[in-house]
Amino acid sequence: MDTKIGSLDNCKPASNDVCSPVNGTVSTIQGSVYPAVVNCSEATLGRHLARRLVQIGVNDVFSVPGDFNLTLLDHLIAEPGLNLIGCCNELNAGYAADGYARSRGVGACVVTFTVGGLSVLNAIAGAYSESLPLICIVGGPNSNDYGTNRILHHTVGLPDFSQELRCFQTVTCYQAVVNNLEDAHDMIDTAISTALKESKPVYISIGCNLAAIPHPTFAREPVPFALSPKLSNKMGLEAAVEAAAEFLNKAVKPVLVGGPKLRVAKACEAFVELVDAGGYAVAVMPSGKGLVPEHHPHFIGTYWGAVSTAFCAEIVESADAYLFAGPIYNDYSSVGYSLLLKKEKAIIVQPDRVVIGNGPAFGCVLMKDFLRELAKRLKHNNTAYENYHRIFVPEGQPLKAAPKDPLRVNVLFQHIQKMLSSDSAVIAETGDSWFNCQKLKLPAGCGYEFQMQYGSIGWSVGATLGYAQAVPEKRVIACIGDGSFQVTAQDVSTMLRCGQKTIIFLINNGGYTIEVEIHDGPYNVIKNWNYTALVDAIHNGEGKCWTTKVFCEKELIEAIETATGAKKDCLCFIEVIVHKDDTSKELLEWGSRVSAANSRPPNPQ
């Protein structure tokens, strides 16, 4: 049977609603079977697109105006359920749509042709790598200019207008170039539904002279989407479950590990059911943090090879069977390809495929269905968790510092940990924040997002803007390094315009610390800014903003008390001054291993 978008079974962890509604619900679609006739002035391509966005749960669109998209923006603004948020540049608009999609289930941005499209491309590539449904809308050339051999502004100076399209073809799952009204309805609907079905970005280019023109295909309110759900092959599912149950039930100390593709498979709840049924120790890959409930009694931490949570790697790598649900094994998640795992011990469950050890593989088997059915067949076995409980020693506390001693990063994150609750969410920027935020223990309901596969520095500023806009009931805590902040700092301005109450910890250590630990050089040192003064200048007396600079633990405690007390309704920017070599031990280990992987000599030819 068909499924309405508003009732899609999305990935929602039982504990952390970090991915709600990707991990929750996309927005319930309102509408009758026989949609009402609309006024002629509203029966336009632009209003149809606007209504479609609202239907699928997009209430905020991130944009940068340009002459090719201005008329389209007029029609988006005219839609009552849609809020147009102007960003400082296209890259940040794309990052904001990425952050919005992580929380709401789908996001959208609007830019202008080529000069805007190529600027937003990097953000769209990141969303593609993270399997996020994102609608990238570009205001295109006048429909009369196609095929005329004319040269247009904002292009590379050739009469061929396809450069932008060709770039987007590699980082989107569907491309629609709308340059006539006859098939515009079909192309737009196909693009949006494909983004939702494939959980990937799509590209829609709309001729700048078409958005305002009425057309009979837009004469009625758009019919709510109905998507045919993906189904497992029943025989394949039964065979896969039978083989996996036999594999795991004969193991002495099996473990479960959750990966990042739990999100796109919408299988977070099913994974928890499997954890409950089996009694196994359960860990999470670093890029899957936030998708597995960390308050679960059998949760043992992050499995990240040599930089895992204490005692986690020992339990996972010594297991005689492990099931990985939705893993991505790249050079970063494998710590320079140094994981001590054996293929013959592993069950690898991907969104639509199961591979058991060196043996059978089963296609057309959905992860969600497989995990739920497997949960019914597992014998209870808590041996691995008992082993973990037996060897576990609580982590020590950071050394006490004198009141005026310089602040250390481990002390900073000790205090951030105390701030977390079900009403908060953490955004971790690429860099040492990856490692420090991995060690945070997320309470039930606390959101968590970072971009590990693509790892684009500066992502977190835009993503924080988008995520906070999607869930205003949560207070976002963003941990951003100074080098990353310099890439995308401008859109703190947009956060203020939107009245957001985010707390930004700007960790000022004078450079690209993550790069230093991989390969050091003078290029990793950056010009120091007075970051609090910069944000004060951006604030410029408009909106609610509070900034401070802290050098020691006492000042940090006072800053947190102010940010969560008297200034709880403000955007709070806390610049934390730390030593340039103050890094987590995990980054030191990880950096040396990644460096070794990067510097492998060529194989003999």
Side-chain angles (χ1 to χ4, degrees):
M1 61 182 288
D2 287 349
T3 304
K4 286 188 177 181
I5 302 281
S7 60
L8 284 177
D9 182 9
N10 288 292
C11 178
K12 184 178 182 181
S15 60
N16 300 333
D17 62 357
V18 53
C19 350
S20 176
V22 162
N23 328 301
T25 61
V26 178
S27 162
T28 301
I29 296 175
Q30 303 295 329
S32 60
V33 176
Y34 302 101
V37 177
V38 300
N39 295 330
C40 182
S41 62
E42 296 181 355
T44 63
L45 185 159
R47 289 303 295 276
H48 175 80
L49 176 59
R51 290 184 176 117
R52 275 303 193 210
L53 293 175
V54 172
Q55 274 190 341
I56 63 171
V58 174
N59 298 112
D60 301 275
V61 176
F62 302 91
S63 68
V64 177
D67 59 321
F68 286 123
N69 70 14
L70 297 178
T71 302
L72 175 61
L73 296 182
D74 287 339
H75 286 262
L76 297 181
I77 290 172
E79 175 58 39
L82 206 57
N83 179 32
L84 199 66
I85 297 178
C87 295
C88 296
N89 59 50
E90 292 87 357
L91 179 62
N92 277 341
Y95 286 154
D98 173 311
Y100 194 91
R102 289 166 182 267
S103 180
R104 189 63 68 90
V106 60
C109 59
V110 184
V111 299
T112 196
F113 184 60
T114 305
V115 70
L118 298 188
S119 183
V120 79
L121 190 68
N122 187 56
I124 304 304
Y128 188 94
S129 76
E130 302 274 327
S131 295
L132 297 171
L134 195 156
I135 318 298
C136 181
I137 303 161
V138 174
N142 187 292
S143 62
N144 298 303
D145 287 327
Y146 284 90
T148 61
N149 210 37
R150 290 172 177 161
I151 294 176
L152 295 182
H153 67 287
H154 288 340
T155 70
V156 296
L158 297 175
D160 174 11
F161 303 155
S162 67
Q163 291 89 9
E164 178 184 82
L165 171 63
R166 295 202 303 273
C167 291
F168 273 93
Q169 284 173 337
T170 61
V171 294
T172 56
C173 66
Y174 184 85
Q175 306 83 35
V177 178
V178 181
N179 53 24
N180 71 81
L181 290 171
E182 295 299 325
D183 57 0
H185 186 289
D186 175 59
M187 295 181 76
I188 289 171
D189 285 6
T190 301
I192 292 174
S193 61
T194 302
L196 296 168
K197 287 187 290 186
E198 301 298 325
S199 196
K200 292 283 189 181
V202 294
Y203 165 86
I204 303 175
S205 173
I206 295 178
C208 62
N209 60 325
L210 301 181
I213 302 176
H215 192 270
T217 54
F218 307 122
R220 290 177 178 268
E221 289 284 351
V223 176
F225 277 118
L227 301 182
S228 298
K230 294 181 180 179
L231 300 174
S232 294
N233 178 297
K234 289 186 177 180
M235 293 180 64
L237 175 62
E238 172 61 28
V241 170
E242 182 180 352
E246 180 184 2
F247 186 91
L248 292 171
N249 285 335
K250 69 182 182 183
V252 176
K253 45 185 180 179
V255 299
L256 301 174
V257 184
K261 291 185 180 179
L262 280 170
R263 184 206 299 270
V264 68
K266 302 175 175 63
C268 297
E269 288 184 350
F271 186 72
V272 173
E273 290 177 21
L274 183 66
V275 174
D276 291 337
Y280 298 1
V282 59
V284 65
M285 296 185 76
S287 49
K289 186 176 176 69
L291 301 177
V292 176
E294 298 189 8
H295 66 275
H296 193 283
H298 283 185
F299 183 76
I300 64 172
T302 298
Y303 174 62
W304 201 353
V307 295
S308 299
T309 304
F311 308 104
C312 180
E314 291 82 353
I315 296 301
V316 172
E317 294 177 345
S318 68
D320 54 343
Y322 19 73
L323 183 149
F324 280 79
I328 294 178
Y329 300 110
N330 62 25
D331 50 339
Y332 274 14
S333 66
S334 66
V335 197
Y337 314 111
S338 66
L339 300 182
L340 300 179
L341 300 174
K342 295 183 178 180
K343 186 178 179 182
E344 62 268 21
K345 294 183 179 181
I347 296 177
I348 307 298
V349 187
Q350 296 294 4
D352 57 2
R353 184 175 178 82
V354 178
V355 180
I356 300 177
N358 287 322
F362 305 90
C364 301
V365 174
L366 299 185
M367 183 191 296
K368 179 170 57 178
D369 297 337
F370 173 78
L371 297 178
R372 286 206 164 115
E373 290 302 314
L374 181 60
K376 301 173 184 176
R377 308 277 190 94
L378 286 190
K379 295 176 183 176
H380 193 273
N381 183 343
N382 63 354
T383 302
Y385 180 74
E386 289 297 323
N387 288 345
Y388 171 79
H389 189 69
R390 193 175 293 114
I391 67 172
F392 178 75
V393 177
E395 289 190 25
Q397 296 297 312
L399 295 172
K400 287 288 184 183
K404 294 296 182 180
D405 280 356
L407 183 63
R408 298 193 306 272
V409 171
N410 55 15
V411 173
L412 166 64
F413 280 89
Q414 182 186 31
H415 288 284
I416 291 176
Q417 176 69 70
K418 296 173 184 176
M419 299 172 67
L420 302 185
S421 71
S422 60
D423 297 323
S424 60
V426 176
I427 304 291
E429 174 58 74
T430 300
D432 198 24
S433 291
W434 274 5
F435 301 89
N436 289 302
C437 289
Q438 277 291 331
K439 291 183 281 189
L440 296 173
K441 190 68 178 284
L442 303 180
C446 180
Y448 185 90
E449 295 293 345
F450 78 132
Q451 189 196 59
M452 185 172 189
Q453 173 59 42
Y454 201 59
S456 185
I457 66 167
W459 163 86
S460 64
V461 177
T464 295
L465 165 63
Y467 191 97
Q469 191 65 22
V471 280
E473 67 276 11
K474 286 187 180 291
R475 193 153 197 208
V476 177
I477 299 170
C479 300
I480 309 176
D482 51 342
S484 296
F485 187 73
Q486 287 194 8
V487 178
T488 49
Q490 309 96 308
D491 270 283
V492 169
S493 170
T494 313
M495 297 179 195
L496 289 169
R497 290 175 65 189
C498 294
Q500 295 182 0
K501 304 170 186 176
T502 295
I503 300 175
I504 296 175
F505 286 98
L506 189 286
I507 303 167
N508 185 351
N509 55 14
Y512 296 122
T513 302
I514 190 170
E515 310 293 3
V516 167
E517 303 310 332
I518 296 174
H519 183 96
D520 200 4
Y523 31 75
N524 291 325
V525 179
I526 61 175
K527 172 71 175 68
N528 192 36
W529 293 359
N530 186 340
Y531 294 95
T532 51
L534 172 68
V535 173
D536 286 336
I538 292 172
H539 173 218
N540 198 26
E542 298 178 10
K544 294 182 178 180
C545 181
W546 177 75
T547 66
T548 190
K549 190 176 299 191
V550 301
F551 296 86
C552 63
E553 184 177 13
K554 181 175 181 294
E555 293 173 350
L556 174 67
I557 293 171
E558 292 171 352
I560 291 174
E561 287 177 349
T562 302
T564 55
K567 299 296 182 181
K568 64 182 180 180
D569 293 327
C570 298
L571 186 144
C572 296
F573 185 89
I574 303 174
E575 182 181 352
V576 182
I577 309 298
V578 297
H579 192 278
K580 68 180 182 69
D581 293 323
D582 186 356
T583 66
S584 63
K585 67 181 182 66
E586 289 81 7
L587 175 55
L588 296 175
E589 171 77 14
W590 177 89
S592 62
R593 289 176 181 265
V594 169
S595 175
N598 287 351
S599 58
R600 288 168 295 161
N603 290 326
Q605 299 300 311

